[in-house]
Amino acid sequence: MKAAVIGTGSMGRNHARLYADIEGVELVAVADVSQDAKGVADKYGCRFYTGHKEMIETEKPDIVSVCVPTSLHYEVSKFVIEKGVNLLIEKPIASRVEEAEELVELAKKAKVKLAVGHIERFNPAVQRLKKLIDEGKLGNVTSILARRVGLYPPRIRDANVIIDIAVHDIDVFNYLLGKEPSKVFSCAGKALINDREDYADIFLK
Ligand SMILES: NC(=O)c1ccc[n+]([C@@H]2O[C@H](COP(=O)([O-])OP(=O)(O)OC[C@H]3O[C@@H](n4cnc5c(N)ncnc54)[C@H](O)[C@@H]3O)[C@@H](O)[C@H]2O)c1
């Protein structure tokens, strides 16, 4: 299987490293607008492109990881789907619900596989918890609480705390309970960053 990565910043480098490591997968190329990322291609002995369109058209990969900043997920992923290439989009799938829904629909129509990098589902602690819940060892779960407190990652400049961070917890809840919320109550605000929410209290029924 031929794999490629679009955006080889902090997260994309991990995708490149793992594709290069997985048996039966060949990391054929990476694309990043920054020439600095050429080092990633050199490290894994694959080709480097500054444009993802040229990369996909030339390399014709079987699967592509989309690891560009969140605000570009929709545009880049749409192109990948239109080219009929399977894709793993880093979380969150897109900046807006409408964009996310459109991507899912487009992928279905194009019959390409679309996955989202909700990495916490593969966290051994979360997997163990899921097993305990499924086996009924924790009884009937009536409430789950997640609380995250931390510095806002300086390299994230285009996503608020809900779509950048809370999506992890919401996805874990959905995964653990095997269902999605029926009601959402939320209050968010801007404490330290002016242009987007950096705190939120979210209650999911
Ligand atoms: N699953 C997780 O736990 C996790 C953790 C961190 C980040 N992420 C997600 O990964 C994505 C990237 O975050 P990051 O922290 O790696 O950011 P980053 O800024 O470190 O990397 C983004 C890279 O994309 C490149 N880029 C920008 N525009 C591009 C374009 N048009 N074409 C090709 N490359 C382009 C940049 O030059 C940069 O190298 C975000 O959506 C973020 O939410 C997920």
Side-chain angles (χ1 to χ4, degrees):
M1 185 186 273
K2 293 198 292 180
V5 177
I6 305 174
T8 50
S10 174
M11 207 58 192
R13 277 160 208 259
N14 292 321
H15 288 244
R17 172 174 56 81
L18 291 166
Y19 283 136
D21 204 38
I22 298 172
E23 213 184 309
V25 176
E26 183 194 359
L27 177 69
V28 290
V30 296
D32 197 296
V33 285
S34 163
Q35 278 288 347
D36 297 347
K38 192 177 175 306
V40 177
D42 293 343
K43 186 169 178 183
Y44 298 112
C46 68
R47 288 170 286 283
F48 174 72
Y49 294 80
T50 48
H52 66 279
K53 293 184 177 173
E54 189 196 347
M55 177 182 80
I56 288 176
E57 277 160 357
T58 313
E59 301 288 343
K60 303 193 181 358
D62 301 298
I63 180 166
V64 161
S65 279
V66 176
C67 306
V68 293
T70 296
S71 53
L72 298 173
H73 284 192
Y74 170 75
E75 180 195 324
V76 171
S77 301
K78 196 171 167 195
F79 179 82
V80 174
I81 295 168
E82 281 165 1
K83 291 289 160 185
V85 178
N86 303 300
L87 70 172
L88 169 55
I89 309 175
E90 255 311 334
K91 55 52 59 181
I93 179 172
S95 296
R96 295 169 48 241
V97 173
E98 295 77 10
E99 292 176 348
E101 286 174 344
E102 191 185 331
L103 289 179
V104 171
E105 277 312 305
L106 288 171
K108 275 186 196 157
K109 274 192 200 136
K111 294 192 169 50
V112 304
K113 292 193 172 67
L114 185 165
V116 183
H118 283 293
I119 196 170
E120 290 297 338
R121 283 192 210 178
F122 304 93
N123 176 338
V126 172
Q127 290 189 339
R128 178 87 180 116
L129 189 53
K130 167 98 177 132
K131 193 163 179 281
L132 289 173
I133 292 173
D134 287 351
E135 288 169 352
K137 298 225 167 93
L138 298 182
N140 186 24
V141 179
T142 52
S143 169
I144 309 182
L145 176 71
R147 184 160 201 229
R148 287 189 183 236
V149 180
L151 292 175
Y152 212 84
R155 64 176 194 278
I156 303 294
R157 296 194 192 87
D158 60 352
N160 69 24
V161 71
I162 301 171
I163 66 160
D164 188 57
I165 297 293
V167 287
H168 278 301
D169 304 309
I170 296 168
D171 184 68
V172 167
F173 293 165
N174 294 350
Y175 172 64
L176 289 177
L177 299 175
K179 50 188 162 186
E180 295 182 2
S182 56
K183 281 188 182 160
V184 178
F185 305 90
S186 169
C187 183
K190 299 165 189 167
L192 299 175
I193 305 172
N194 292 329
D195 62 349
R196 59 201 190 277
E197 291 73 15
D198 56 5
Y199 71 86
D201 291 297
I202 305 169
F203 180 89
L204 306 168
K205 181 173 165 48

